[in-house]
Amino acid sequence: MEKSKKAAEDTKYSNLIYNKANYYEKATEKEKKQIFEFAEGYKTFISECKTERECCMEAIAQAKSKGFQEFHFGDKLKSGDKRYFVNRDKGVILFKIGSLPLEEQGMRIVVAHIDAPRLDIKQIPVYESDGFCYLKTHYYGGIKKYQWVTIPLSLHGVVILKDGSKVNINIGDKEDDPVFYISDLLPHLGKNQMAGKATDIISGEQLNVIIGGLPVVDAEKDKVKINVLKMLYDKYKITEEDFISSELCVVPAARARDVGFDRALIGGYGHDDRSCSYPSMQAIFDVQNENTAMCILVDKEEIGSEGNTGIKCKVYEDLIDEICQALGANSRQVRGRSICLSADVTACYDPNFATVFEKRNAAIISCGACMNKFTGSGGKSGSSDASAETVAKVRSIFDANGVVWQAAELGKVDIGGGGTVAKFIAQLNIDTVDIGVPVISMHSPYELISKADLYSMYKAALAFLK
Ligand code: MN
Ligand code: MN
């Protein structure tokens, strides 16, 4: 009697209370199946695409297979067109022209990044010491350096030879490939190291990658280095000087895997931000859109969105201008009426490190893609703080389409913070709000997400782009 009375009261007031729902609990059996199926394509994507170049190439290949054609500035456009624009092989913009008048409706834009924290190879990287051959690295993005030692590593990227020809490198991720390795100190001799600060346990200049140990017999010195250089020359025609015009990245060699007895979670490298870029890309492929829809996959977010492949580059504004011009619309008007989801991952509440979170305003695992009205740190500094109106608009789109989602912020006030591309899109006079998949162990070599949150991100992008 007591129990049923309490249940009735819960129902009576339930519409007053905001509660996050676990998507797995809420999903129908059919939807649960879709959640698990969607994760399979994603795992393949992040296991095989470990740099922005590889993600860009895969996105183009998938776009072509879905009937998208390349767009060049000056091309004509009409309603129903599906096009892609490539920025220097490191970013791609996919768009579909809708039937609604562009000037009145604006565009629906989702932007996500395809670069991820890693170790970049220096331009004069090869050296030998005491039987080993090494590559010097300079880390890319915000990493905990001590996490990148004693794990299998692979090497991805390009070397442009003197004659301009491009050599693609991808070694360490195939079953029978060798991998690469960074050493750490054995605990027996690690007493002083372990007493130091975590930032100093492994220094930047200690992130040296072992790439060989076999000496040639007919050289006087640097016998291991010469042997490695000889192998590189025989196979790729690369000399030591060619590294100057290379972009080579050291990334974890592991494939993405299901985590847990129940396989609810995915472990893998680069969930930040491929767990948003992959669903966004699938959403623009699948969407039956009335609005003009755009998905921007961009480089350089992890180092401040700089350069001509980062979101600060003028090419994105130029492209919007070109699309407007091709459709006879005023670009300034269109931007002012457009709305953008800045799709980037957020910190997931980690019970193992509960003290840095304010749980009421933290993203909870499996409760769906997480909307962050603002990011930034120390008094919202550096955030583009979306307006209540923009949040309301996006919220009503999600709710009308049955998207399971949640709202949160990054962590406790004054404990840290972060930011992403939202503020640069907002500068174009486009209403922008952050949304993304909650990630455990962000920026580590093997991050963790929920399959439910990944699928929620897809549903959110799909509803929004429509
Ligand atoms: Mn990110
Ligand atoms: Mn990041």
Side-chain angles (χ1 to χ4, degrees):
M1 186 66 189
E2 261 309 290
K3 211 174 179 185
S4 69
K5 194 179 156 198
K6 191 178 179 304
E9 269 183 12
D10 281 354
T11 322
K12 189 173 153 196
Y13 296 119
S14 64
N15 63 336
L16 296 177
I17 308 291
Y18 173 62
N19 277 317
K20 297 185 179 186
N22 184 298
Y23 194 3
Y24 283 126
E25 255 179 66
K26 212 172 170 181
T28 59
E29 280 308 309
K30 188 184 159 210
E31 205 168 14
K32 229 183 247 177
K33 217 173 139 223
Q34 288 167 333
I35 289 171
F36 279 83
E37 274 169 12
F38 190 81
E40 293 305 307
Y42 172 69
K43 282 188 290 175
T44 304
F45 179 75
I46 63 163
S47 298
E48 288 170 12
C49 303
K50 295 195 168 174
T51 63
E52 60 277 2
R53 284 178 192 268
E54 289 167 357
C55 291
C56 179
M57 291 308 139
E58 178 60 19
I60 294 168
Q62 289 197 20
K64 279 183 178 166
S65 78
K66 309 273 181 188
F68 282 64
Q69 290 179 321
E70 187 163 10
F71 178 80
H72 300 95
F73 285 4
D75 282 1
K76 298 257 181 300
L77 290 170
K78 58 178 189 315
S79 170
D81 279 358
K82 303 189 283 187
R83 307 294 285 266
Y84 68 91
F85 178 85
V86 186
N87 183 15
R88 296 169 171 88
D89 292 347
K90 295 186 190 186
V92 60
I93 300 116
L94 307 150
F95 60 95
K96 279 173 154 175
I97 307 300
S99 53
L100 295 173
L102 183 58
E103 210 167 88
E104 280 164 41
Q105 300 294 321
M107 289 185 187
R108 294 288 173 88
I109 304 166
V110 178
V111 48
H113 68 92
I114 49 177
D115 61 321
R118 62 185 186 230
L119 309 176
D120 280 350
I121 298 300
K122 289 192 185 190
Q123 295 340 110
I124 306 169
V126 194
Y127 73 99
E128 173 172 341
S129 188
D130 306 285
F132 297 106
C133 184
Y134 293 94
L135 289 177
K136 295 290 298 177
T137 67
H138 192 141
Y139 64 96
Y140 174 97
I143 61 165
K144 287 177 163 179
K145 293 187 262 298
Y146 67 79
Q147 293 179 331
W148 292 71
V149 298
T150 68
I151 56 170
L153 298 165
S154 60
L155 188 65
H156 295 240
V158 297
V159 182
I160 311 297
L161 305 183
K162 223 173 206 166
D163 65 4
S165 58
K166 183 187 287 186
V167 180
N168 282 298
I169 305 283
N170 185 344
I171 305 167
D173 276 298
K174 284 182 283 300
E175 193 72 11
D176 52 351
D177 275 355
V179 295
F180 306 97
Y181 186 84
I182 301 171
S183 65
D184 193 3
L185 198 52
L186 63 168
H188 316 64
L189 300 177
K191 199 175 140 207
N192 290 344
Q193 181 199 32
M194 296 306 284
K197 274 167 47 190
T199 48
D200 304 331
I201 287 173
I202 300 290
S203 73
E205 293 295 351
Q206 279 178 319
L207 291 172
N208 301 315
V209 184
I210 294 172
I211 58 164
L214 195 66
V216 287
V217 289
D218 54 353
E220 298 228 326
K221 55 169 201 164
D222 281 350
K223 294 179 176 185
V224 181
K225 172 177 167 176
I226 286 170
N227 192 39
V228 167
L229 287 175
K230 196 170 157 295
M231 291 179 81
L232 288 175
Y233 188 77
D234 289 346
K235 182 145 191 210
Y236 303 107
K237 294 282 172 285
I238 294 171
T239 66
E240 188 174 12
E241 197 180 340
D242 292 322
F243 282 100
I244 293 172
S245 51
S246 73
E247 281 178 6
L248 293 169
C249 311
V250 174
V251 295
R255 286 186 76 82
R257 306 274 293 266
D258 288 347
V259 172
F261 289 114
D262 54 13
R263 298 178 178 269
L265 311 165
I266 308 170
Y269 166 67
H271 286 319
D272 177 7
D273 185 33
R274 290 155 197 158
S275 66
C276 296
S277 45
Y278 178 82
S280 302
M281 171 170 101
Q282 298 309 318
I284 197 148
F285 292 152
D286 296 345
V287 71
Q288 302 287 326
N289 57 309
E290 292 184 315
N291 285 298
T292 290
M294 178 182 272
C295 168
I296 302 176
L297 304 180
V298 70
D299 179 32
K300 292 283 180 281
E301 191 280 337
E302 294 296 353
I303 58 167
S305 296
E306 308 289 350
N308 59 12
T309 57
I311 201 72
K312 285 187 198 170
C313 175
K314 189 122 178 6
V315 71
Y316 304 97
E317 189 181 347
D318 287 348
L319 179 65
I320 293 171
D321 286 353
E322 286 284 330
I323 293 169
C324 291
Q325 202 175 348
L327 294 164
N330 180 321
S331 176
R332 293 181 183 89
Q333 189 114 300
V334 170
R335 280 190 276 111
R337 290 174 178 176
S338 293
I339 182 162
C340 173
L341 294 185
S342 164
D344 201 352
V345 297
T346 190
C348 183
Y349 178 79
D350 187 340
N352 220 10
F353 296 96
T355 55
V356 300
F357 296 94
E358 190 264 291
K359 197 172 179 183
R360 192 177 300 277
N361 284 282
I364 306 295
I365 194 82
S366 300
C367 290
C370 176
M371 191 197 288
N372 290 39
K373 182 177 177 297
F374 58 87
T375 57
S377 59
K380 297 193 179 182
S381 179
S383 167
S384 81
D385 206 356
S387 71
E389 288 85 347
T390 304
V391 172
K393 197 167 173 184
V394 173
R395 184 184 151 199
S396 74
I397 293 169
F398 290 166
D399 291 345
N401 289 277
V403 178
V404 175
W405 65 282
Q406 57 182 319
E409 67 178 281
L410 198 62
K412 267 185 183 167
V413 176
D414 285 341
I415 202 109
T420 177
V421 300
K423 59 180 175 182
F424 306 117
I425 302 284
Q427 282 168 9
L428 298 177
N429 189 28
I430 296 173
D431 286 333
T432 306
V433 63
D434 281 293
I435 184 164
V437 170
V439 174
I440 294 276
S441 313
M442 197 194 293
H443 285 201
S444 74
Y446 214 69
E447 302 169 322
L448 190 71
I449 62 163
S450 159
K451 289 179 182 177
D453 296 333
L454 177 78
Y455 190 66
S456 159
M457 184 62 230
Y458 166 73
K459 295 282 279 184
L462 194 65
F464 176 79
L465 291 171
K466 205 159 72 175

